[in-house]
Structures are given as structure tokens and as C-alpha cells.
Amino acid sequence: MVNNHYAVIGGGINGLSVARQLLLDFPDSRVTVFEKEQKVAQHQSSHNSGVVHAGLYYEPGGLKARLCRRGAELVKQYCLEKDIAYDECGKVVVALNTVEEIRLESIYQRSIANKVADVRMLNAEEISAVEPNCIGTKALYSPRTAIVSYGDIAQKIAEEILEKGADIILGRAVTHLTENNKKISVHFSDNDHHDSTFDYVVSCAGLQSDRLAAHSGDIKTPKIVPFFGQYYVIDEAYKEHVKGLIYPVPDPSYPFLGVHFTKRIDGQMTIGPNAFISLGRENYSGTDYNVVDIYDFLTYRGFWRFSSKNVPAAARELRTVLSQTNFVAQAAKYVPSLANVSVTPATRGIRAQAMETDGSLVDDFVIRKQGNITHIRNAPSPGATSSLAIAEYIVKEIMTHE
Ligand SMILES: Cc1cc2nc3c(=O)[nH]c(=O)nc-3n(C[C@H](O)[C@H](O)[C@H](O)COP(=O)(O)OP(=O)(O)OC[C@H]3O[C@@H](n4cnc5c(N)ncnc54)[C@H](O)[C@@H]3O)c2cc1C
């Protein structure tokens, strides 16, 4: 592995972290990152909630549970070392009734099983000591949950790997990879291919990961089905009503965490993200659409099976898409003093969520090796928290495994 030439496809936080890990472990190797945009980290890595998740929710023993906890430690360490802003503002997951209390208790048990530091349950009075304007019957408090800018972290990693001798080639969209006698060629959309061949390739293509994998001979499913998440920034004068992060108890039938209050590292307070099907994998405006992307999910059996099973949750999310008032009302259930707050639409993010043909959403991270090519096939939240640990896992365990 020492003097090899590695290619990484995708300059998001995962691709950049993999490139960094390769250079740390094999300083004499050559590493080339191919990114289709003109800058790194233009997609999920800079369109997210910016939360360093502590690992509360994830199935013990799964990759998410393991890599989120390790990743959170590594992100904190990286921010300290590189002087990147890191705010351990804490998080409460708030139950509003007895049904939610039961679900919250099982999240608490998971967080204990996952050895998340310092978590504890709060009663209604204790909630107000942490979040004075928040109401709830019980809450799970995670004081170590933090906020960062993953876009800034990705930029810093890009600078670091350039200093360590990597090449980052921008504006090059890879269409497929071919492997011949353990050497891999990288092909581009203009029928061109890169002059060198590579010994190993790691594909970290986020919203395009299923296409790149399938075009390179890997299995066709699960497919990425894009779900957007809209954020709103609340009126500056009201932002002190929330101190840190306030989350609802997730609905077990819907795999997203629900609209929450998120303090941003730049000091803004946002609410969001909701979760609804996106009319394009990379259309952030909300008014644009992409015919190929729409065709892809409309002709996918999994999408129709998912839709038929999730009508109530989809209807709830649609209400937040159609009406800003509804959106704010969802959040104000937790902080009633913000019921009439004015909000401004902020960016939306689009989740690269893998979906199986039976309509189930793939919960855990999926990383597959095919010859000397490794594909990240599913890395939704907490994928940014976990990125430095995902990189360690790929380089130290997956790539060395024959
Ligand atoms: C709304 C939302 C909220 C989230 N909140 C959180 C959070 O609070 N905490 C957390 O830990 N995680 C969160 N996540 C998840 C997190 O953002 C992602 O897990 C993480 O950013 C994934 O990084 P990535 O590098 O795999 O993908 P991306 O950042 O999407 O990067 C993929 C890169 O590959 C490039 N690419 C794609 N195809 C090609 C090609 N063919 N050729 C060349 N380049 C290509 C793209 O241009 C892109 O730069 C959230 C995600 C969303 C959408």
C-alpha cells in the first residue's frame, strides 16, 4: 500500500478525509482527488445542520454507532488543532407526551449502550434549567453535542492534503471506473480518461454515489433517492430564546430526526430541516427541477413502496413545505414564545439517502469493496460527524481486506 497511486472521487468531507487518511498512513503514496465542481464541499458537506452528533440514536454495534462516536472525538480534536470554531452547546431531545416519553426512554438506553458521555434524563423543571423557554414532559440531555461548520472543516482538510502533496483536480466529473489486472482507469463525461492508472480508488460521490457505482460494475441497488431539508433563520431579536439544540423525539416510522432548533456556529438560530422528496439531486433553489433525477425515482419500485408506507408522515412534511406558518408551528410546540416569530428562508440541504427496492430506507452506513475500488453507498447524517472515522475505517479496515 506504501507507494501506490490512489484516486478519490468526490471532494466532499468524506472524500477529503479519505485522501488525508491515505497520506497520513502512507506518506510516500500519491493521492489524486477528482471533484466535478469548481470548489470542494459544495453539496451535502456545506448544506447541513452543522451538528457534531454524540451518537444517541444509533443501533448499538452498527457502523453509525461506532463511527459517529469515534468521529465526534476526531472532529473535536481536529477543530482544536486547526483552530476551527467548535461550540459544545449541548442538545435536548424533548418528549411532549407519554407516548414520546416511552420512545425517548429507548433512545436513552441506546445512548447508554453506545457509551455516549454525560447523557441524562431531565424532568420538566430540569428542562427549563437547560433551555428556559422550552416546554416538555421529559427530555434527554446530551451536554457534549456540539456545532461546527463542516464546510470550513472540509476546506481545512483540502488545504492540509494539498500541503501533504495531494492533487485536487476540480471540474472533472467521473462517469465510471474500469479495472484491469488490478489497475484502475478513471473515465470522464467527455470520453476522456485520466493519463495515469490507479492502484486503488475510493468513490465518495454523495448524491451521485449509486450511479457511479452502478456504471462501474457494482450492484445497482440501493439507489439514492434525494430528500431535501429546508431551513429558516429566525428573527435575530429572538435567537436568545434558544440556547443550543432542541430536537423532537423522532417518529420511528420516518427515518429523519424532525424539525429542530439548531444554533449555527456563526451565531444564527435556525429551524429545520423538514424532509420531502427533491425534484433534483442538486437543485437547492426549490424552483428548479432535473428531469433525469425525477425520472430515476419515479421509475424506481422502491420509491413507490416507500411512498405507500409513509403517507401520514409525508402529509405532515408536505404541510411544512407548503406553509411557512406550519413550519414554525412545528418548532413552536417546543418553544411557545416563538409561535409568531418571523423567519427568513435559508439554504436547503439535499440528503443522499439510499433506498432499497422494498421501499426501506437504508439506515446504517454502507461501504462496499469491489476489487480495488471502494464505494461509499450510504452516508447520511451523522456522515459529517463520522467523516474522519469513516476515512480511518476505509483505509485501515476495508481497503486492506482482501
Ligand atoms: C439537510 C442535511 C442535514 C444534515 N445534518 C447533519 C448534521 O448535523 N451532522 C452530521 O454529521 N451530518 C449531517 N448531514 C449529513 C452530512 O452532511 C453528510 O453525511 C456528509 O456531508 C456526506 O459527505 P460526502 O463527502 O459523502 O458527500 P458530499 O458532501 O455530497 O460530497 C460528494 C462530492 O462528490 C462530488 N461528486 C459527485 N459525483 C461526482 C462525480 N461523478 N465525479 C466527481 N465528483 C463527484 C460532489 O460534487 C461532491 O462534492 C446532513 C445532511 C443533510 C442533507
Side-chain angles (χ1 to χ4, degrees):
M1 307 274 286
V2 179
N3 290 316
N4 285 326
H5 192 179
Y6 299 95
V8 175
I9 317 300
I13 197 162
N14 275 316
L16 295 167
S17 298
V18 168
R20 172 178 175 270
Q21 192 65 48
L22 286 166
L23 289 160
L24 288 175
D25 288 5
F26 312 112
D28 295 329
S29 64
R30 284 182 66 200
V31 177
T32 305
V33 178
F34 294 99
E35 166 54 53
K36 70 181 168 61
E37 306 297 346
Q38 296 300 336
K39 290 183 187 163
V40 296
Q42 295 301 290
H43 293 289
Q44 293 176 97
S45 298
S46 56
H47 293 83
N48 56 51
S49 299
V51 176
V52 184
H53 287 289
L56 305 178
Y57 308 98
Y58 315 118
E59 183 74 34
L63 274 182
K64 269 190 181 175
R66 175 183 152 195
L67 300 181
C68 178
R69 231 189 56 224
R70 170 82 181 141
E73 282 168 25
L74 293 174
V75 165
K76 182 173 183 177
Q77 205 176 305
Y78 196 75
C79 289
L80 284 174
E81 270 170 27
K82 304 285 178 189
D83 203 18
I84 301 170
Y86 181 94
D87 177 1
E88 208 164 77
C89 60
K91 155 174 169 174
V92 281
V93 184
V94 180
L96 295 175
N97 53 49
T98 43
V99 175
E100 290 187 352
E101 281 177 25
I102 295 165
R103 287 194 221 142
L104 192 62
E105 179 59 31
S106 68
I107 297 173
Y108 177 52
Q109 293 308 330
R110 274 196 175 183
S111 68
I112 300 291
N114 288 335
K115 300 192 174 61
V116 180
D118 302 330
V119 283
R120 62 178 202 271
M121 291 295 273
L122 306 177
N123 62 29
E125 275 161 36
E126 291 165 329
I127 294 173
S128 24
V130 176
E131 285 287 355
N133 297 301
C134 177
I135 56 162
T137 53
K138 281 215 169 127
L140 173 57
Y141 180 39
S142 168
R144 303 275 159 246
T145 299
I147 50 169
V148 290
S149 159
Y150 287 112
D152 288 355
I153 295 176
Q155 279 300 338
K156 188 56 84 178
I157 300 175
E159 285 164 27
E160 185 191 340
I161 64 171
L162 286 172
E163 277 163 23
K164 286 184 161 60
D167 292 313
I168 302 181
I169 301 182
L170 299 169
R172 289 303 258 156
V174 176
T175 50
H176 63 291
L177 308 163
T178 49
E179 185 168 351
N180 203 346
N181 286 333
K182 299 207 169 215
K183 290 284 176 192
I184 300 151
S185 303
V186 174
H187 305 264
F188 304 105
S189 43
D190 47 9
N191 283 334
D192 195 9
H193 66 274
H194 196 258
D195 290 340
S196 332
T197 55
F198 297 89
D199 300 290
Y200 292 87
V201 177
V202 185
S203 168
C204 310
L207 287 148
Q208 310 295 338
S209 54
D210 57 333
R211 291 173 175 160
L212 190 53
H215 294 159
S216 305
D218 194 30
I219 53 176
K220 289 198 166 58
T221 56
K223 273 172 94 80
I224 294 295
V225 176
F227 288 88
F228 75 77
Q230 178 70 51
Y231 293 91
Y232 287 90
V233 180
I234 74 169
D235 183 344
E236 184 77 11
Y238 290 84
K239 69 179 191 188
E240 296 301 331
H241 284 227
V242 178
K243 304 289 169 212
L245 306 165
I246 302 179
Y247 278 63
V249 177
D251 176 347
S253 64
Y254 213 58
F256 305 108
L257 295 182
V259 168
H260 46 81
F261 285 97
T262 313
K263 185 179 171 190
R264 296 277 171 175
I265 200 73
D266 62 6
Q268 286 185 331
M269 180 57 68
T270 59
I271 54 176
N274 53 2
F276 204 72
I277 189 75
S278 174
L279 298 181
R281 294 192 182 194
E282 298 176 356
N283 295 347
Y284 296 97
S285 71
T287 50
D288 219 354
Y289 59 89
N290 180 306
V291 177
V292 175
D293 294 345
I294 297 173
Y295 178 84
D296 246 19
F297 70 72
L298 285 182
T299 52
Y300 186 42
R301 196 164 11 129
F303 172 71
W304 292 106
R305 291 193 167 154
F306 170 83
S307 305
S308 65
K309 282 188 258 175
N310 285 286
V311 174
R316 182 193 64 213
E317 296 296 310
L318 182 61
R319 283 196 290 277
T320 67
V321 175
L322 298 176
S323 150
Q324 204 165 288
T325 316
N326 253 314
F327 198 103
V328 174
Q330 285 277 341
K333 284 196 267 179
Y334 302 87
V335 184
S337 60
L338 293 178
N340 297 311
V341 73
S342 60
V343 294
T344 338
T347 178
R348 44 170 70 180
I350 304 174
R351 303 167 177 91
Q353 175 61 55
M355 186 185 279
E356 296 287 5
T357 42
D358 66 1
S360 58
L361 297 188
V362 182
D363 183 47
D364 210 355
F365 297 144
V366 178
I367 297 163
R368 283 177 50 84
K369 187 162 184 260
Q370 166 218 0
N372 284 349
I373 305 172
T374 299
H375 297 279
I376 299 186
R377 296 284 308 241
N378 192 45
S381 186
T385 305
S386 312
S387 51
L388 294 167
I390 289 175
E392 273 186 350
Y393 173 70
I394 289 177
V395 174
K396 293 184 194 301
E397 295 183 45
I398 299 287
M399 288 173 72
T400 49
H401 195 264
E402 279 308 314

